[in-house]
Amino acid sequence: MSKHASMIGQMILIGLAGMVTLCSGAWGALALWYQLPGGKVVKNLGSVSWSLLVIALVGIAIYRHSWLPLGIYLLLYALLLLWWGRIAPTNRRDWADDVSRPLTGRVEGNQIVLDNVRNFTWRSNVDYDAHWETRRYDLDHIASADAVLSYWSSKAIAHAMISFGFDDGSHVVFSVEIRRKRDQQYSPIGGFFKQFETTLVAADENDIIRVRTNVRGEDDYLYPLRMQLPAMRALFLSYVRAANQLAATPAFYNTISSNCTTLVYHMARQIEPGMRWDIRLLLTGYLPEYLHKLGAVDRSVPLALLRKRCRITEQARRTQPTENFSQAIRQPPPAS
């Protein structure tokens, strides 16, 4: 009886180990598909060959009640991880025009000088006038900070940006984005497999918000943040430090751990250590609920009404090229 129970226990353990092997093997197949050098034929061949090998090893282990095939898999998986660990990010690729130049900044007293501030004029995703500028900002004149959310897929998914305003009416938006190669398309799955580097863009609102609302058809919301001026200055400087760090030491974008909100969260925690992690930092479409709960946005009205007031899509789409875009999107929304 004990021998029979022992055999059943071994079979269960092998089965569980087989499941773990299949899951890790699936990750390996995707890693090979996204990162194996060569064209689609090579990538498909490598990914399919790996998958068949993993399935064969698991099948043999279960059929023969043997740990040897799984031991062989562990060795192969270790080699795969060794190869994976040697894939390093770089700042030297043929980048798409809108992420081609790295943002850098330097502090001169209370003045912040930003190099490579983007100020494109967009007519379509492929038709635009490219302008990169050096701009100077005085932290003594910072006046506001706004969270900008741009919905492009579903209610749960939005791109998050921070716009800083100054008392002369100027604004600059910081946005953590994927750094795409030329003609490369965004893939959320690829974001798990070192397909993109991370870049930090500083841009004019007339560029980075307008392209989303007026060109890409996204739905945008601007939430004024309730922050003290020292915290605004500290957050602005955190962006400058992060930009300089990325310019000097490239990093991969990760859909979960290093995306448009997690970097901001880590910077904000340096200012407010008590800020807690929340799933809405990943499901960025629900970020307003998180900010409302923290008291980081206006809590004098229900969230539904605040969301309605903060929607800027229609104001943005009604603007003319010569109009003050930042001023126009801060006008009250049209009556419904």
Side-chain angles (χ1 to χ4, degrees):
M1 184 68 178
S2 60
K3 184 177 180 180
H4 181 67
S6 177
M7 183 177 295
I8 293 176
Q10 184 180 11
M11 290 178 64
I12 292 174
L13 285 175
I14 291 176
L16 290 173
M19 290 179 61
V20 172
T21 300
L22 288 173
C23 290
S24 60
W27 177 90
L30 287 169
L32 287 167
W33 195 89
Y34 278 104
Q35 288 298 332
L36 198 63
K40 286 187 176 180
V41 173
V42 175
K43 292 177 182 292
N44 285 328
L45 182 61
S47 182
V48 170
S49 298
W50 171 265
S51 300
L52 292 176
L53 177 61
V54 172
I55 293 170
L57 289 172
V58 171
I60 293 171
I62 295 175
Y63 179 74
R64 294 190 174 180
H65 305 166
S66 170
W67 291 99
L68 179 59
L70 298 182
I72 295 172
Y73 171 75
L74 284 176
L75 177 60
L76 294 174
Y77 193 69
L79 293 173
L80 181 70
L81 291 179
L82 182 63
W83 163 75
W84 180 256
R86 295 176 65 86
I87 300 173
T90 179
N91 280 331
R92 297 179 179 276
R93 300 191 194 277
D94 182 19
W95 302 111
D97 288 339
D98 58 328
V99 290
S100 61
R101 298 193 186 184
L103 171 69
T104 57
R106 58 187 183 274
V107 181
E108 298 178 355
N110 290 325
Q111 303 278 321
I112 307 296
V113 180
L114 297 182
D115 293 314
N116 294 324
V117 177
R118 203 181 76 194
N119 189 18
F120 282 29
T121 300
W122 298 86
R123 289 173 292 275
S124 74
N125 273 324
V126 295
D127 182 16
Y128 47 81
D129 298 324
H131 298 287
W132 298 93
E133 302 171 354
T134 295
R135 293 188 179 184
R136 183 180 292 268
Y137 299 94
D138 191 334
L139 290 183
D140 286 340
H141 293 274
I142 197 168
S144 64
D146 303 312
V148 182
L149 295 182
S150 189
Y151 291 80
W152 52 271
S153 175
S154 68
K155 291 182 178 180
I157 303 297
H159 182 71
M161 303 171 281
I162 301 290
S163 177
F164 291 94
F166 294 81
D167 56 16
D168 63 355
S170 64
H171 293 81
V172 62
V173 182
F174 289 100
S175 176
V176 178
E177 304 195 0
I178 63 167
R179 200 172 191 192
R180 310 175 330 277
K181 291 180 288 187
R182 192 173 301 278
D183 300 324
Q184 189 179 31
Q185 299 297 316
Y186 172 67
S187 163
I189 297 177
F192 289 104
F193 294 96
K194 299 184 177 182
Q195 191 176 24
F196 312 106
E197 275 80 10
T198 297
T199 190
L200 184 51
V201 174
D204 196 281
E205 288 186 334
N206 192 48
D207 169 343
I208 203 164
I209 296 178
R210 182 194 284 270
V211 70
R212 285 173 162 81
T213 55
N214 296 25
V215 173
R216 300 174 186 168
E218 299 178 14
D219 191 22
D220 281 32
Y221 296 73
L222 187 148
Y223 294 90
L225 295 174
R226 302 178 67 181
M227 295 180 68
Q228 298 296 320
L229 290 177
M232 289 183 197
R233 297 189 188 102
L235 185 58
F236 193 102
L237 287 170
S238 292
Y239 270 109
V240 175
R241 288 193 294 270
N244 288 337
Q245 177 68 22
L246 283 172
T249 308
F252 283 118
Y253 180 93
N254 185 281
T255 305
I256 294 293
S257 63
S258 179
N259 57 43
C260 65
T261 54
T262 53
L263 179 61
V264 180
Y265 168 74
H266 291 307
M267 290 191 299
R269 279 206 65 183
Q270 298 173 22
I271 303 166
E272 180 53 62
M275 184 178 292
R276 295 182 178 180
W277 177 260
D278 192 284
I279 189 63
R280 286 167 290 198
L281 294 167
L282 299 180
L283 300 175
T284 46
Y286 301 118
L287 195 59
E289 284 89 335
Y290 176 69
L291 297 174
H292 195 262
K293 181 180 178 180
L294 286 179
V297 294
D298 186 5
R299 297 179 67 178
S300 67
V301 296
L303 181 60
L305 179 57
L306 179 65
R307 184 182 283 110
K308 184 177 180 180
R309 288 179 178 176
C310 292
R311 186 171 185 263
I312 61 171
T313 306
E314 295 306 320
Q315 298 96 304
R317 291 176 180 170
R318 290 202 311 266
T319 58
Q320 300 299 316
T322 57
E323 193 172 353
N324 186 320
F325 183 82
S326 294
Q327 188 179 73
I329 62 175
R330 287 171 173 81
Q331 297 300 312
S336 56

